[in-house]
Amino acid sequence: MTALNKAESSLLKEDLDFHIYAGSAALSHIQKNGLKKEDISMLLGASSGPKWLVLHGFDQYLLNSMQDRQQPLDLLGTSAGAWRLACYAQQDSFAAHQRLTHAYIEQRYSEKPSGDEILASCRNMVNSMLGRQGAVEVLQHDTARLHLITTQCHGLAAKQHRFWQGLGFAIAALGNVFSRKTLGLHFTRIVIHHPEQKPPLACTKDLPSRYQTIEKDRVADTILSTGCIPVLTKGVEDIAGKGLYQDGGITDYGFDLPFKPEKGFVLYPHFAEIPAPGWFDKSLKWRKPSHDNYSHTILLVPKNEFVTSLPYGKIPDRNDFVKLSDEKRKTYWREVVKRSQVFSQQLEALEPHHWAEYAEPLPW
């Protein structure tokens, strides 16, 4: 590397507003070869609620860089992450992403919304994102292969009543403190995949799991199900066999799964340095993903300095619906989307050989 290239890389590293963390195999590849867009064979999208808005700039860059892609690209997400990735699998992916962003920011609720009201709002967001042809396009895209995870609930967790379902989830949360495997008493992970292939996901032994092909006449309902917030929102019924299906983040909020493509690596824009494996793990600081499961994964994470510079010094979250008026919340969220575009600009400025200069080991 020339002195000029070294100086350029150092400048980029100093000015970068996000970290790039890489698992062992991915880091070794980057250190030897840099990183080209052809090296990425899978994108991950995590459950996030409104937190996904801070990732908007990453999406804008990736949507652009994947436009002329020739080889298949696996897309796997849960909840809002799956909604984001469904945009990638539409012919006009930019327009789909714009529709989702607008519908998401503009959502509003009564003072004490019912489960039906929240479900109707979520359905509106999914339908807006898909537009007229999106449900067909996600199954027919030339290169994008959409997959998602949803959760089949059992026992009290499957009750369509806030009290009983809340009690079921409280019991599940208590058991989860001792072991994630206890979630299998209450939930089954459902990996719903593109008709032409399954995602590059090795055998999952942590929880009961089942694979199911996306049904062409249930695309919108399937995408909706993975974003149905437990207790607050009514679930979707019978999309992968008889039963109640809700937020994929229940079992896989931030993922601790063996994603190991035969070729290439996994790119994962995320809002936190340490992804929480499941929904009940968000407050369990000691529960961290396996290094082996992340060996082929590259994480893009906003730096703390960037986050604290945002309005209110934080990333958007669901509490904004309670603490802010609709107008203040929408103004705040739009500003976060606007500021996140710096991620797109900085990624656009990076050359493949620069990545070795600033790629870091996983932070846990």
Side-chain angles (χ1 to χ4, degrees), residues 37-182:
K37 63 181 180 181
E38 293 81 10
D39 294 329
I40 301 302
S41 58
M42 183 176 186
L43 294 181
L44 283 184
S47 299
S48 61
K51 294 181 177 70
W52 77 272
L53 295 170
V54 80
L55 307 177
H56 200 277
F58 293 130
D59 281 337
Q60 291 298 294
Y61 169 78
L62 292 170
L63 288 167
N64 181 63
S65 67
M66 301 299 175
Q67 287 294 303
D68 58 351
R69 188 180 179 92
Q70 300 299 313
Q71 64 268 46
L73 177 67
D74 285 298
L75 312 165
L76 187 142
T78 57
S79 195
W83 295 7
R84 288 170 46 226
L85 294 182
C87 299
Y88 285 68
Q90 296 180 56
Q91 293 304 316
D92 192 340
S93 55
F94 281 101
H97 197 259
Q98 186 176 28
R99 291 194 301 270
L100 175 61
T101 304
H102 176 77
Y104 200 94
I105 291 175
E106 292 297 320
Q107 63 180 303
R108 60 191 305 165
Y109 302 95
S110 61
E111 187 174 346
K112 294 183 179 181
S114 66
D116 287 329
E117 180 183 349
I118 299 174
L119 182 62
S121 177
C122 290
R123 188 179 294 279
N124 174 67
M125 287 184 276
V126 169
N127 288 339
S128 295
M129 177 270 293
L130 289 173
R132 292 184 177 182
Q133 296 296 321
V136 175
E137 292 172 356
V138 297
L139 299 182
Q140 298 180 351
H141 198 280
D142 291 338
T143 56
R145 301 289 183 263
L146 179 66
H147 321 286
L148 58 87
I149 294 175
T150 191
T151 306
Q152 184 174 10
C153 303
H154 308 295
L156 289 177
K159 298 294 184 182
Q160 291 274 36
H161 186 283
R162 284 184 175 179
F163 174 81
W164 292 113
Q165 189 176 55
L167 179 59
F169 273 76
I171 294 170
L174 182 60
N176 180 73
V177 171
F178 300 98
S179 172
R180 255 179 64 80
K181 289 188 176 182
T182 63

Side-chain angles (χ1 to χ4, degrees), residues 169 180 229-230 249-253 277-283 318:
F169 273 76
R180 255 179 64 80
I229 307 164
I250 297 170
T251 57
D252 300 286
Y253 184 79
W279 198 55
F280 300 109
D281 299 318
K282 291 187 288 182
S283 61
R318 290 195 180 95

Side-chain angles (χ1 to χ4, degrees), residues 5 21 35 46 111 126 136 148 158 160 234 239 255 262 270 287 290-291 293 308 318 325 363:
N5 282 339
Y21 297 117
L35 190 73
E111 187 174 346
V126 169
V136 175
L148 58 87
Q160 291 274 36
K234 286 193 172 182
I239 59 167
F255 304 115
E262 291 184 7
H270 194 46
R287 186 159 293 161
S290 158
H291 272 222
N293 284 346
T308 57
R318 290 195 180 95
S325 68

Side-chain angles (χ1 to χ4, degrees), residues 76-77 147-151 188-194 197-202 204 208-214 222 240 251-252 257 259:
L76 187 142
H147 321 286
L148 58 87
I149 294 175
T150 191
T151 306
T188 299
R189 172 191 293 124
I190 311 296
V191 183
I192 302 186
H193 60 90
H194 190 278
Q197 69 185 65
K198 292 181 180 180
L201 175 58
T204 55
S209 303
R210 191 169 78 246
Y211 283 87
Q212 174 77 33
T213 303
I214 298 176
T222 300
T251 57
D252 300 286
L257 294 171
F259 294 117

Side-chain angles (χ1 to χ4, degrees), residues 290-340:
S290 158
H291 272 222
D292 184 61
N293 284 346
Y294 273 73
S295 62
H296 287 66
T297 298
I298 302 162
L299 280 157
L300 307 179
V301 184
K303 289 183 177 177
N304 288 335
E305 295 84 352
F306 175 83
V307 172
T308 57
S309 74
L310 296 173
Y312 306 103
K314 68 175 189 65
I315 294 172
D317 58 54
R318 290 195 180 95
N319 291 327
D320 297 336
F321 286 108
V322 177
K323 295 182 177 180
L324 301 175
S325 68
D326 278 330
E327 289 309 310
K328 285 185 177 180
R329 173 186 58 80
K330 290 190 284 187
T331 298
Y332 162 38
W333 287 8
R334 292 189 193 104
E335 180 65 17
V336 171
V337 167
K338 179 181 177 182
R339 293 199 194 180
S340 77

